[in-house]
Amino acid sequence: MVIVEHGKGTNMTGGMAMMTRAPVLLHELVEGSAGVHPDRPAVTHQDRTLSYSELWDAVQAAGSGLTALATGPRSRVAVYLDKRPETVIALFAASAAALVVVPVNPVLRARQVAYIIGDCTCEVLVTTPERLATLGDVLPQCPSLGSIVLTGPRPSDGAGPVAPEGVDLLWWDDLTAAQAAPVRPSIDLDVAAILYTSGSTGSPKGVVLSHRNVVAGAQSVNAYLPNTCEDVILAALPFSFDAGLSQLTTGFLVGAHVVLLNYLRPVDVPRLCARHGVTALTCVPPLWIQIADVAWPDEARASLRYFANTGGRMPRTMLDSLRALFPQASPYLMYGLTESFRSTYLDPREIDRRPDSIGRAIPNAEIVVVGADGQPCGPGETGELVHRGALVSLGYWNDPERTAVRFRPAPGALDGQTLTDMAVWSGDLVRLDDQGYLYFVGRNDEMIKTSGYRVSPTEIEEAAYATGVVRDAVAFGVPDDVLGHRILLVVSANGSTGDPVAEVLARMRTMVPLYMVPSEVVVRDELPRSPNGKFDRTAIREDVLT
């Protein structure tokens, strides 16, 4: 028997290791670019920039510190920080230490943070003194927690935050000053990260990602964008969101420069684009709606090479506005879910022919549309999108029941095959055209049945946007004894004069069949969003129905 030792390119001794092969593990995305582009900028936050060699040195140092804190390989490390260099370092240092990183969205409240730490039994928490102060009442509910690492300057007077009883408290410079630790072996099927969904129904689900998932995702996305070492990527989405983490992985794979943005105001986006010469920007539709409303000076738009959409279908009117705003930039419309990172994208050359499409399968993925009878659908038929391939995650953490529902073999396995790879069944309904392009119809559990028709909320929202009266729009069905469901549309007005309710209804009556016209339109100043920037449909429903 021949045993091949893995991981020859990695060390945590503080020296530079030149990788001679393609990255296999999460931290090797940084290591590889440090070997090829050591002096190029890797990450910038405000006035601080780390080169790839500096970032890799910091990842190795922090990895040694985390190795000393954790009880063993694959222990979980929660990172509860806003975007800053230490956040990026901690994410990749966990991988270098053969640990599992759990990015926690910085906008979550104490109870939600404690749930995540407790659910996946995190042993280490990386956070700030200010955030630790908000967690004082809930951390005692997390018995697995053994160490807390605080970023920022250490108080000179010795005063400072206090950790829960039995939990060690140390500062970032303590972590990075740890003696170099021996490399723990990992393989690509080991768990690299756990990303928690927003939990719009029930408790949040921890999506378990292997190193293979994350690295294959970076390689696949870069195959069609494609990013290069000359690109400047603005990271506007949270790293706890798969698309946000992907900004780091796709950028680091090719040695691009990633600029960190803690999104506060829409005007911050064009300001940073102008300052850093941003070439690549990915957002979710509600975020695009906000930032498209602000002024974009010529210097903010001049360098943009592409803009991309993920996390939901972009309304046609918004796509048209962005193409007019960025005429020199290529639009990439992408579809994905946390359970498989990315599934489809629309080639920019197809935008004018099929602007409503979510495209076709990304490289190294197979997409099947499956009908209610369990058989693949043909052109024109609607069915559930099923994703098979290297990006399909390992399931939900500590949740075999929900894993069994969502992760199942795709139809069409070979006869006689005793073991089959798992596919992720998205729960999203799509339609396939005769050229293999996909069109999003709606969520299987959000479809509205009214007057005998099945109606997609997305189609109603598209019509509402097209009226030109609304800024945000969310539609859902409300049980009705006569209709089955009546359609309720919740909007925020775009500031135009007149009665927005009357104008929306009047214009929609000319655009859609009468059964699709909402029975009620509710106007709010703002519509709540989830931590990932998507519309919080559960909160919106509760707001208007209670």
Side-chain angles (χ1 to χ4, degrees):
M1 177 182 294
V2 177
I3 299 176
V4 179
E5 185 179 357
H6 175 76
K8 283 295 186 182
T10 303
N11 69 75
M12 287 196 290
T13 63
M16 178 62 64
M18 178 71 74
M19 288 188 62
T20 58
R21 55 178 173 76
V24 173
L25 307 176
L26 174 60
H27 63 278
E28 292 176 353
L29 296 171
V30 177
E31 181 186 9
S33 285
V36 178
H37 308 289
D39 299 323
R40 293 191 69 89
V43 62
T44 291
H45 175 245
Q46 297 178 354
D47 296 325
R48 182 184 176 194
T49 296
L50 296 179
S51 69
Y52 271 98
S53 62
E54 291 170 332
L55 178 59
W56 176 233
D57 287 344
V59 165
Q60 293 181 94
S64 289
L66 291 175
T67 300
L69 295 180
T71 59
R74 294 179 287 282
S75 297
R76 272 71 64 199
V77 177
V79 180
Y80 180 46
L81 292 169
D82 56 358
K83 293 197 190 85
R84 57 178 68 192
E86 289 80 8
T87 311
V88 177
I89 294 166
L91 294 177
F92 289 84
S95 170
L99 305 175
V100 178
V101 68
V102 184
V104 181
N105 197 307
V107 304
L108 294 184
R109 302 301 184 188
R111 181 178 58 83
Q112 299 164 307
V113 176
Y115 172 82
I116 292 173
I117 293 174
D119 184 60
C120 61
T121 58
C122 291
E123 295 184 5
V124 181
L125 169 65
V126 183
T127 189
T128 64
E130 296 78 13
R131 292 181 182 276
L132 178 59
T134 68
L135 301 176
D137 294 335
V138 298
L139 288 185
Q141 305 167 21
C142 305
S144 62
L145 193 62
S147 303
I148 297 175
V149 180
L150 298 178
T151 65
R154 186 195 304 264
S156 57
D157 59 2
V162 178
E165 184 177 356
V167 177
D168 294 330
L169 186 68
L170 63 156
W171 292 82
W172 184 262
D173 55 357
D174 298 323
L175 180 77
T176 56
Q179 185 176 0
V183 175
R184 289 170 170 165
S186 295
I187 63 172
D188 64 347
L189 292 182
D190 284 338
V191 178
I194 303 175
L195 303 186
Y196 276 79
T197 63
S198 58
S200 57
T201 57
S203 58
K205 298 176 292 187
V207 178
V208 182
L209 301 173
S210 68
H211 290 274
R212 181 190 186 204
N213 294 149
V214 180
V215 173
Q219 293 167 336
S220 178
V221 172
N222 272 325
Y224 64 80
L225 282 179
N227 292 314
T228 74
C229 63
E230 301 295 331
D231 276 304
V232 181
I233 300 171
L234 184 62
L237 300 173
F239 296 147
S240 57
F241 182 34
D242 59 286
L245 182 60
S246 181
Q247 302 306 290
L248 295 177
T249 58
T250 56
F252 292 166
L253 175 64
V254 296
H257 180 193
V258 180
V259 177
L260 307 182
L261 168 64
N262 290 298
Y263 183 79
L264 297 175
R265 303 170 302 163
V267 295
D268 292 333
V269 177
R271 177 179 60 81
L272 286 181
C273 286
R275 178 181 177 185
H276 297 285
V278 168
T279 65
L281 179 58
T282 300
C283 297
V284 293
L287 183 55
W288 277 125
I289 292 170
Q290 290 180 331
I291 65 178
D293 276 350
V294 301
W296 279 79
D298 289 343
E299 60 269 24
R301 301 180 292 161
S303 57
L304 197 67
R305 181 173 67 83
Y306 73 82
F307 63 90
N309 179 66
T310 187
R313 183 180 168 197
M314 181 180 286
R316 175 86 68 88
T317 53
M318 178 53 55
L319 176 59
D320 292 341
S321 296
L322 291 175
R323 294 183 73 188
L325 184 61
F326 310 120
Q328 81 289 355
S330 298
Y332 284 85
L333 305 184
M334 300 189 292
Y335 161 89
L337 57 158
T338 306
E339 290 84 351
S340 63
F341 255 51
R342 292 286 172 279
S343 294
T344 70
Y345 82 100
L346 182 65
D347 190 310
R349 294 170 294 185
E350 298 292 332
I351 289 288
D352 291 323
R353 282 193 287 268
R354 39 181 65 86
D356 297 323
S357 174
I358 60 173
R360 295 194 283 196
I362 63 172
N364 198 26
E366 180 182 68
I367 302 298
V368 184
V369 182
V370 182
D373 60 357
Q375 298 301 310
C377 293
E381 298 178 337
T382 296
E384 184 174 359
L385 184 148
V386 179
H387 178 135
R388 174 176 171 266
L391 277 69
V392 174
S393 66
L394 303 182
Y396 299 125
W397 178 264
N398 198 29
D399 197 336
E401 291 80 12
R402 286 199 281 193
T403 297
V405 169
R406 185 61 66 90
F407 295 87
R408 312 193 302 276
L414 293 175
D415 292 340
Q417 188 176 2
T418 57
L419 294 176
T420 185
D421 59 309
M422 291 294 103
V424 59
W425 294 63
S426 68
D428 287 338
L429 297 179
V430 297
R431 175 175 52 85
L432 186 71
D433 71 13
D434 56 5
Q435 293 183 303
Y437 286 88
L438 296 158
Y439 297 80
F440 184 80
V441 176
R443 283 289 300 172
N444 195 23
D445 55 2
E446 291 176 354
M447 295 295 287
I448 302 168
K449 188 168 185 179
T450 182
S451 303
Y453 295 93
R454 288 177 62 83
V455 178
S456 164
T458 302
E459 194 170 1
I460 299 168
E461 292 157 8
E462 284 273 327
Y465 285 120
T467 66
V469 177
V470 307
R471 183 167 177 267
D472 302 321
V474 169
F476 53 89
V478 179
D480 184 273
D481 291 339
V482 176
L483 301 175
H485 283 95
R486 60 183 176 89
I487 299 172
L488 179 61
L489 178 66
V490 187
V491 303
S492 64
N494 65 5
S496 59
T497 59
D499 179 359
V501 173
E503 290 186 24
V504 167
L505 290 174
R507 297 184 189 187
M508 287 188 68
R509 289 190 184 102
T510 69
M511 300 165 61
V512 297
L514 288 179
Y515 67 81
M516 289 181 58
V517 176
S519 62
E520 182 180 0
V521 177
V522 176
V523 180
R524 293 286 187 265
D525 292 336
E526 296 286 343
L527 301 191
R529 289 169 166 78
S530 73
N532 288 338
K534 301 178 184 179
F535 290 124
D536 190 335
R537 293 179 177 268
T538 300
I540 294 169
R541 180 187 288 268
E542 292 176 352
D543 172 56
V544 298
L545 294 181
T546 56

